[in-house]
Coordinates of all heavy atoms in Angstrom, one line a residue:
Chain A
A226 N 10.9 11.0 -35.1 CA 12.2 10.3 -35.2 C 12.3 9.3 -34.1 O 12.7 8.2 -34.3 CB 13.3 11.2 -35.3
Y227 N 11.9 9.8 -32.9 CA 12.0 8.9 -31.7 C 11.0 7.7 -31.9 O 11.4 6.6 -31.6 CB 11.6 9.7 -30.5 CG 11.9 9.0 -29.2 CD1 13.2 9.1 -28.6 CD2 10.9 8.3 -28.5 CE1 13.5 8.4 -27.4 CE2 11.2 7.7 -27.3 CZ 12.5 7.7 -26.7 OH 12.8 7.1 -25.6
A228 N 9.8 8.0 -32.4 CA 8.8 6.9 -32.6 C 9.3 5.9 -33.6 O 8.8 4.8 -33.7 CB 7.5 7.5 -33.0
G229 N 10.2 6.4 -34.5 CA 10.7 5.5 -35.6 C 11.6 4.4 -35.0 O 11.8 3.3 -35.7
I230 N 12.1 4.6 -33.8 CA 12.9 3.5 -33.2 C 12.0 2.6 -32.4 O 11.0 3.1 -31.8 CB 13.9 4.2 -32.2 CG1 14.7 5.2 -32.9 CG2 14.9 3.1 -31.6 CD1 15.5 6.1 -32.0
G231 N 12.3 1.3 -32.4 CA 11.5 0.4 -31.5 C 10.4 -0.3 -32.3 O 10.4 -0.3 -33.6
V232 N 9.6 -1.0 -31.6 CA 8.6 -1.9 -32.2 C 7.2 -1.5 -31.7 O 7.0 -1.5 -30.5 CB 8.8 -3.4 -31.9 CG1 7.8 -4.3 -32.5 CG2 10.2 -3.8 -32.3
G233 N 6.3 -1.2 -32.6 CA 4.9 -1.0 -32.2 C 4.8 0.1 -31.2 O 5.3 1.2 -31.4
K234 N 4.1 -0.2 -30.0 CA 3.9 0.9 -29.0 C 5.1 1.0 -28.1 O 5.1 1.8 -27.2 CB 2.7 0.5 -28.2 CG 1.4 0.8 -29.0 CD 0.2 0.6 -28.0 CE -1.1 1.0 -28.7 NZ -2.3 0.5 -27.9
S235 N 6.1 0.2 -28.3 CA 7.3 0.4 -27.5 C 8.3 1.1 -28.3 O 9.0 0.5 -29.2 CB 7.9 -1.0 -27.1 OG 7.0 -1.7 -26.4
T236 N 8.4 2.5 -28.2 CA 9.2 3.3 -29.0 C 10.5 3.7 -28.3 O 10.5 3.8 -27.0 CB 8.5 4.5 -29.5 OG1 8.0 5.3 -28.4 CG2 7.2 4.1 -30.3
G237 N 11.5 4.1 -29.1 CA 12.7 4.7 -28.5 C 13.6 3.7 -27.9 O 13.6 2.5 -28.2
T238 N 14.5 4.2 -27.1 CA 15.5 3.4 -26.4 C 15.2 3.2 -24.9 O 14.5 4.0 -24.4 CB 16.9 4.0 -26.6 OG1 16.9 5.3 -25.9 CG2 17.3 4.2 -28.0
K239 N 15.8 2.2 -24.4 CA 15.6 2.0 -22.9 C 16.9 1.6 -22.3 O 17.7 0.8 -22.9 CB 14.5 0.8 -22.8 CG 14.3 0.3 -21.4 CD 13.1 0.9 -20.7 CE 13.0 0.5 -19.3 NZ 13.9 1.1 -18.4
L240 N 17.1 2.1 -21.1 CA 18.3 1.7 -20.3 C 17.9 0.4 -19.6 O 16.9 0.3 -18.9 CB 18.7 2.7 -19.3 CG 19.0 4.1 -19.9 CD1 19.5 5.0 -18.7 CD2 20.1 4.0 -20.9
I241 N 18.8 -0.6 -19.7 CA 18.6 -1.9 -19.0 C 19.7 -2.1 -18.1 O 20.9 -1.9 -18.4 CB 18.5 -3.1 -20.0 CG1 17.4 -2.8 -21.1 CG2 18.3 -4.4 -19.3 CD1 16.0 -3.0 -20.6
S242 N 19.4 -2.3 -16.8 CA 20.5 -2.7 -15.8 C 20.6 -4.2 -15.8 O 19.7 -4.9 -15.3 CB 20.1 -2.2 -14.4 OG 19.2 -1.1 -14.5
A243 N 21.6 -4.7 -16.4 CA 21.8 -6.1 -16.5 C 22.7 -6.6 -15.4 O 23.8 -6.0 -15.1 CB 22.4 -6.5 -17.8
S244 N 22.2 -7.6 -14.6 CA 23.0 -8.1 -13.5 C 22.8 -9.6 -13.4 O 22.0 -10.2 -14.1 CB 22.6 -7.4 -12.2 OG 21.3 -7.7 -11.9
G245 N 23.6 -10.2 -12.6 CA 23.5 -11.6 -12.4 C 24.6 -12.4 -13.0 O 25.7 -11.9 -13.2
H246 N 24.4 -13.7 -13.4 CA 25.4 -14.5 -13.8 C 25.7 -14.4 -15.3 O 25.6 -15.3 -16.1 CB 25.0 -16.0 -13.5 CG 24.7 -16.1 -12.0 ND1 23.6 -16.9 -11.6 CD2 25.3 -15.6 -10.9 CE1 23.6 -16.8 -10.3 NE2 24.5 -16.0 -9.8
I247 N 26.1 -13.2 -15.7 CA 26.5 -12.9 -17.1 C 27.9 -12.4 -17.1 O 28.5 -12.0 -16.1 CB 25.5 -11.9 -17.7 CG1 25.3 -10.7 -16.7 CG2 24.2 -12.6 -18.1 CD1 24.4 -9.6 -17.3
N248 N 28.4 -12.4 -18.3 CA 29.8 -12.0 -18.5 C 30.0 -10.5 -18.4 O 31.0 -10.1 -17.9 CB 30.4 -12.5 -19.8 CG 30.7 -14.0 -19.8 OD1 31.2 -14.5 -18.8 ND2 30.4 -14.7 -20.8
R249 N 29.0 -9.8 -18.8 CA 29.2 -8.3 -18.8 C 28.0 -7.6 -18.2 O 27.2 -7.0 -18.9 CB 29.4 -7.8 -20.3 CG 30.7 -8.1 -20.9 CD 30.6 -8.1 -22.5 NE 29.8 -7.0 -23.0 CZ 30.2 -5.8 -23.3 NH1 31.5 -5.4 -23.0 NH2 29.4 -4.9 -23.8
P250 N 28.0 -7.6 -16.9 CA 26.9 -6.9 -16.2 C 27.1 -5.4 -16.4 O 28.2 -4.9 -16.5 CB 27.0 -7.3 -14.7 CG 28.3 -7.9 -14.6 CD 28.8 -8.3 -15.9
G251 N 26.0 -4.6 -16.4 CA 26.1 -3.2 -16.5 C 24.9 -2.6 -17.1 O 23.9 -3.2 -17.2
V252 N 25.0 -1.3 -17.3 CA 23.8 -0.5 -17.9 C 24.0 -0.5 -19.4 O 25.0 -0.1 -19.9 CB 23.7 0.9 -17.3 CG1 22.6 1.6 -17.9 CG2 23.6 0.8 -15.8
Y253 N 23.0 -0.9 -20.1 CA 23.0 -0.9 -21.6 C 21.8 -0.1 -22.1 O 20.7 -0.2 -21.6 CB 22.9 -2.3 -22.1 CG 24.2 -3.1 -21.8 CD1 24.1 -4.0 -20.7 CD2 25.3 -2.9 -22.4 CE1 25.2 -4.7 -20.3 CE2 26.5 -3.6 -22.1 CZ 26.4 -4.5 -21.0 OH 27.5 -5.2 -20.7
E254 N 22.1 0.7 -23.1 CA 21.0 1.4 -23.8 C 20.6 0.6 -25.0 O 21.5 0.3 -25.9 CB 21.4 2.8 -24.2 CG 20.2 3.5 -24.9 CD 20.4 5.0 -25.0 OE1 21.5 5.5 -24.8 OE2 19.5 5.7 -25.4
I255 N 19.4 0.1 -25.0 CA 19.0 -0.8 -26.2 C 17.9 -0.1 -26.9 O 17.1 0.7 -26.4 CB 18.5 -2.2 -25.7 CG1 17.3 -2.0 -24.8 CG2 19.6 -2.9 -25.1 CD1 16.4 -3.2 -24.7
E256 N 17.8 -0.4 -28.2 CA 16.6 0.0 -28.9 C 15.5 -1.0 -28.6 O 15.8 -2.2 -28.6 CB 16.8 0.0 -30.4 CG 17.8 1.1 -30.9 CD 17.9 1.0 -32.4 OE1 17.0 0.5 -33.1 OE2 19.0 1.5 -32.9
L257 N 14.4 -0.5 -28.1 CA 13.3 -1.5 -27.8 C 13.0 -2.4 -29.0 O 12.9 -1.9 -30.1 CB 12.1 -0.7 -27.3 CG 12.2 -0.1 -25.9 CD1 11.0 0.8 -25.7 CD2 12.3 -1.2 -24.9
G258 N 12.9 -3.7 -28.7 CA 12.7 -4.6 -29.8 C 13.9 -5.5 -30.1 O 13.8 -6.4 -30.9
V259 N 14.9 -5.4 -29.3 CA 16.1 -6.3 -29.4 C 15.6 -7.7 -28.8 O 14.9 -7.7 -27.8 CB 17.2 -5.8 -28.5 CG1 18.3 -6.9 -28.4 CG2 17.8 -4.5 -29.1
P260 N 15.8 -8.8 -29.5 CA 15.4 -10.1 -29.0 C 16.1 -10.3 -27.6 O 17.3 -10.0 -27.5 CB 15.8 -11.1 -30.0 CG 16.0 -10.3 -31.3 CD 16.4 -8.9 -30.9
V261 N 15.4 -11.0 -26.7 CA 16.0 -11.3 -25.4 C 17.2 -12.1 -25.5 O 18.2 -11.9 -24.8 CB 14.9 -11.9 -24.5 CG1 15.5 -12.4 -23.2 CG2 13.7 -11.0 -24.2
E262 N 17.1 -13.1 -26.5 CA 18.2 -14.0 -26.7 C 19.5 -13.2 -27.1 O 20.6 -13.5 -26.5 CB 17.9 -15.0 -27.7 CG 18.9 -16.2 -27.8 CD 18.3 -17.4 -28.5 OE1 17.1 -17.3 -29.0 OE2 19.0 -18.4 -28.5
E263 N 19.3 -12.3 -28.0 CA 20.4 -11.5 -28.4 C 21.0 -10.7 -27.2 O 22.2 -10.5 -27.1 CB 20.0 -10.6 -29.6 CG 21.2 -9.8 -30.1 CD 20.7 -8.7 -31.1 OE1 19.7 -8.9 -31.8 OE2 21.5 -7.7 -31.3
F264 N 20.1 -10.1 -26.4 CA 20.5 -9.3 -25.3 C 21.3 -10.1 -24.3 O 22.3 -9.6 -23.8 CB 19.3 -8.7 -24.6 CG 19.7 -7.7 -23.5 CD1 20.2 -6.5 -23.8 CD2 19.5 -8.1 -22.2 CE1 20.6 -5.6 -22.8 CE2 19.9 -7.2 -21.2 CZ 20.4 -6.0 -21.5
I265 N 21.0 -11.3 -24.1 CA 21.7 -12.1 -23.1 C 23.0 -12.6 -23.7 O 24.1 -12.5 -23.1 CB 20.9 -13.3 -22.6 CG1 19.6 -12.8 -21.9 CG2 21.7 -14.2 -21.6 CD1 18.7 -13.9 -21.5
F266 N 23.0 -13.0 -25.0 CA 24.2 -13.8 -25.5 C 25.1 -12.9 -26.4 O 26.2 -13.3 -26.7 CB 23.7 -15.0 -26.2 CG 23.1 -16.0 -25.2 CD1 21.7 -16.2 -25.2 CD2 23.9 -16.8 -24.4 CE1 21.1 -17.1 -24.3 CE2 23.3 -17.7 -23.5 CZ 22.0 -17.8 -23.4
S267 N 24.6 -11.8 -26.8 CA 25.5 -11.0 -27.7 C 26.6 -10.3 -26.9 O 26.4 -9.9 -25.8 CB 24.6 -9.9 -28.4 OG 25.5 -8.8 -28.8
D268 N 27.7 -10.2 -27.6 CA 28.9 -9.5 -26.9 C 28.7 -8.0 -26.8 O 29.4 -7.4 -26.0 CB 30.2 -9.8 -27.7 CG 30.7 -11.2 -27.4 OD1 30.3 -11.8 -26.3 OD2 31.4 -11.8 -28.2
L269 N 27.7 -7.5 -27.5 CA 27.4 -6.1 -27.4 C 26.7 -5.8 -26.1 O 26.8 -4.7 -25.6 CB 26.4 -5.8 -28.6 CG 26.4 -4.5 -29.2 CD1 27.8 -4.1 -29.7 CD2 25.4 -4.4 -30.4
Y270 N 26.0 -6.8 -25.5 CA 25.3 -6.6 -24.3 C 25.8 -7.4 -23.2 O 27.0 -7.3 -22.8 CB 23.8 -6.8 -24.5 CG 23.2 -5.9 -25.6 CD1 22.7 -6.5 -26.8 CD2 23.2 -4.5 -25.5 CE1 22.2 -5.7 -27.8 CE2 22.7 -3.8 -26.6 CZ 22.2 -4.3 -27.7 OH 21.7 -3.6 -28.7
C271 N 25.0 -8.4 -22.7 CA 25.4 -9.2 -21.5 C 26.6 -10.1 -21.8 O 27.3 -10.5 -20.9 CB 24.3 -10.0 -21.0 SG 22.8 -9.0 -20.6
G272 N 26.8 -10.5 -23.1 CA 28.0 -11.3 -23.4 C 27.9 -12.7 -23.0 O 28.9 -13.4 -22.8
G273 N 26.7 -13.2 -22.8 CA 26.5 -14.7 -22.5 C 26.7 -15.0 -21.1 O 27.0 -14.1 -20.2
M274 N 26.4 -16.3 -20.8 CA 26.4 -16.7 -19.4 C 27.9 -16.9 -18.9 O 28.8 -17.3 -19.6 CB 25.7 -18.1 -19.2 CG 24.3 -18.0 -19.7 SD 23.3 -16.9 -18.8 CE 23.3 -17.7 -17.2
R275 N 28.0 -16.5 -17.6 CA 29.3 -16.6 -16.9 C 29.7 -18.1 -16.8 O 28.9 -18.9 -16.5 CB 29.2 -15.9 -15.6 CG 30.5 -15.4 -15.0 CD 30.2 -14.8 -13.7 NE 29.6 -15.8 -12.7 CZ 29.2 -15.5 -11.5 NH1 29.2 -14.2 -11.1 NH2 28.6 -16.4 -10.8

Side-chain angles (χ1 to χ4, degrees):
Chain A
Y227 192 85
I230 307 168
V232 180
K234 283 184 176 170
S235 302
T236 59
T238 64
K239 171 96 184 78
L240 300 183
I241 303 288
S242 334
S244 62
H246 306 137
I247 45 176
N248 281 323
R249 284 158 42 87
V252 177
Y253 295 100
E254 181 167 8
I255 60 158
E256 291 183 23
L257 286 169
V259 172
V261 174
E262 190 161 6
E263 184 189 332
F264 184 72
I265 299 175
F266 294 103
S267 158
D268 283 337
L269 214 54
Y270 305 114
C271 301
M274 300 299 294
R275 201 181 60 185

